[in-house]
Amino acid sequence: MSNLEKYKGIIPAFYACYDEEGNISAERCKALAKHYLSVGVKGLYVGGSSGECIYQNVEERKLVLESVMEAVGGKMTIIAHVAAPSTRDSVELAKHAADLGVDALAAIPPIYFRLPEPSIEAYWTAMIEAGQRDFIIYNIPQTTGYALSTGQFKKMLENKYVIGVKNSSMPVQDILTWKLEADRDIIVFNGPDEQFVGGRVMGAEGGIGGTYGVMPELFLACDKAINEGNIPLATEIQFKITEIIFTMVGCQGNLYDVMKEILRREGLECGHVRGPLARITDADKPTIDRAHDMIKAARSQYC
């Protein structure tokens, strides 16, 4: 039985780190990973949406994970998202991640083609068999076009390596569904950052999120308040977090590029996003200034 405690808490989704030419920067990956270690988050989710995985080839994704593991492997929980468009590439990434010693693998369902559930099961199972590590199903129907069904979930739980779900569907009820349908202890991560408190109250033991990376201290404070039973304080912090997110998404540039700009202002360089994701514009900078000021003010107030 897996030690589920190592997954309970705040786990930022790791950003793609590029150099000035748009290539993966191992040094910037290491610096960002060490930053999160110093902040005190539980772990890192590497190679997911925030990591721009669908715009990177297999070797680039390997380099990112190698850099993170070299910097913080064994010092914090590392979950490697290994899904790729083909099963073949996904299996290669799963083997590589397992060889590096990650704690768990994670994967979205297959993308683009709308496949039947037996094909989705085979896709996930191939990664599990290749890596033989704890495995987390990533349920994000708004981008993949497939919503995890209770039947498929229960079928996957027959595999001993499947330990839970990263749930990024918007209804918090889904979190409760996975908890009620499981016939053994599992871990459920809240996905939508704008409703972290709602997800935790509905049964999620932790969270994996893309905006955690620019304000990890706020999510740590929110999680601490929940663990201490101080729901009014947790809700108050959540309001601040959600207001910051709403401000950031008001930019013309992609949210990930907005967040990289905020990190840049804090002394962490991650480069820009890779096309077709849009870079920020000069018109975005006043909004980014405002979002950054909101983060600093909330950090001062609650952390």
Side-chain angles (χ1 to χ4, degrees), residues 166-246:
K166 177 185 185 290
N167 193 75
S168 291
S169 63
M170 295 310 292
V172 291
Q173 175 185 329
D174 287 350
I175 290 172
L176 183 59
T177 298
W178 310 136
K179 300 296 290 188
L180 291 175
E181 291 292 335
D183 58 2
R184 55 182 169 86
D185 288 341
I186 62 168
I187 186 86
V188 178
F189 299 96
N190 179 79
D193 303 358
E194 302 89 335
Q195 55 189 44
F196 174 75
V197 172
R200 287 281 276 108
V201 170
M202 289 295 277
E205 292 91 351
I208 297 171
T211 68
Y212 294 14
V214 290
M215 44 183 164
E217 303 92 344
L218 296 183
F219 281 95
L220 285 167
C222 198
D223 191 58
K224 180 174 183 288
I226 293 169
N227 290 335
E228 293 175 350
N230 193 344
I231 301 302
L233 175 59
T235 303
E236 183 178 322
I237 301 171
Q238 176 74 80
F239 285 172
K240 295 287 186 181
I241 287 170
T242 303
E243 185 181 10
I244 292 165
I245 295 172
F246 286 176

Side-chain angles (χ1 to χ4, degrees), residues 12-292:
F14 196 76
Y15 302 135
C17 295
Y18 303 115
D19 62 20
E20 302 311 317
E21 286 71 48
N23 300 311
I24 298 296
S25 169
E27 291 310 309
R28 289 177 177 180
C29 286
K30 294 174 187 176
L32 186 61
K34 289 176 182 177
H35 164 70
Y36 292 131
L37 176 65
S38 70
V39 171
V41 297
K42 193 62 171 272
L44 295 172
Y45 186 86
V46 183
S49 305
S50 300
E52 304 174 43
C53 64
I54 62 171
Y55 301 132
Q56 296 169 1
N57 62 38
V58 169
E59 293 309 312
E60 288 178 315
R61 293 178 65 177
K62 287 181 179 180
L63 177 57
V64 171
L65 187 59
E66 288 166 5
S67 302
V68 171
M69 290 299 289
E70 182 179 339
V72 300
K75 300 175 183 176
M76 59 200 309
T77 299
I78 303 296
I79 302 170
H81 177 262
V82 296
S86 73
T87 301
R88 180 175 182 172
D89 286 349
S90 301
V91 165
E92 183 176 345
L93 288 168
K95 289 180 178 177
H96 174 259
D99 288 344
L100 290 177
V102 301
D103 295 278
L105 307 176
I108 56 171
I111 58 174
Y112 187 74
F113 291 109
R114 293 183 179 270
L115 301 177
E117 288 193 326
S119 295
I120 296 171
E121 179 183 349
Y123 175 74
W124 281 333
T125 300
M127 290 177 242
I128 294 170
E129 291 179 348
Q132 297 189 25
R133 287 287 190 280
D134 290 348
F135 187 84
I136 299 159
I137 296 168
Y138 187 178
N139 184 43
I140 183 167
Q142 60 268 38
T143 60
T144 64
Y146 170 73
L148 181 64
S149 68
T150 55
Q152 184 65 66
F153 174 61
K154 294 178 80 168
K155 187 77 182 339
M156 291 304 302
L157 281 179
E158 294 176 8
N159 190 306
K160 66 179 182 179
Y161 288 109
V162 177
I163 62 167
V165 180
K166 177 185 185 290
N167 193 75
S168 291
S169 63
M170 295 310 292
V172 291
Q173 175 185 329
D174 287 350
I175 290 172
L176 183 59
T177 298
W178 310 136
K179 300 296 290 188
L180 291 175
E181 291 292 335
D183 58 2
R184 55 182 169 86
D185 288 341
I186 62 168
I187 186 86
V188 178
F189 299 96
N190 179 79
D193 303 358
E194 302 89 335
Q195 55 189 44
F196 174 75
V197 172
R200 287 281 276 108
V201 170
M202 289 295 277
E205 292 91 351
I208 297 171
T211 68
Y212 294 14
V214 290
M215 44 183 164
E217 303 92 344
L218 296 183
F219 281 95
L220 285 167
C222 198
D223 191 58
K224 180 174 183 288
I226 293 169
N227 290 335
E228 293 175 350
N230 193 344
I231 301 302
L233 175 59
T235 303
E236 183 178 322
I237 301 171
Q238 176 74 80
F239 285 172
K240 295 287 186 181
I241 287 170
T242 303
E243 185 181 10
I244 292 165
I245 295 172
F246 286 176
T247 299
M248 292 193 296
V249 298
C251 293
Q252 296 177 48
N254 179 268
L255 176 61
Y256 298 133
D257 210 48
V258 171
M259 294 189 292
K260 289 182 183 187
E261 177 62 25
I262 290 174
L263 286 178
R264 184 174 295 115
R265 296 176 185 203
E266 302 223 323
L268 290 161
E269 182 59 68
C270 302
H272 287 282
V273 290
R274 179 173 284 182
L277 299 177
R279 291 188 180 189
I280 60 169
T281 66
D282 286 341
D284 288 329
K285 291 184 178 178
T287 302
I288 294 172
D289 284 336
R290 187 163 64 254
H292 190 206

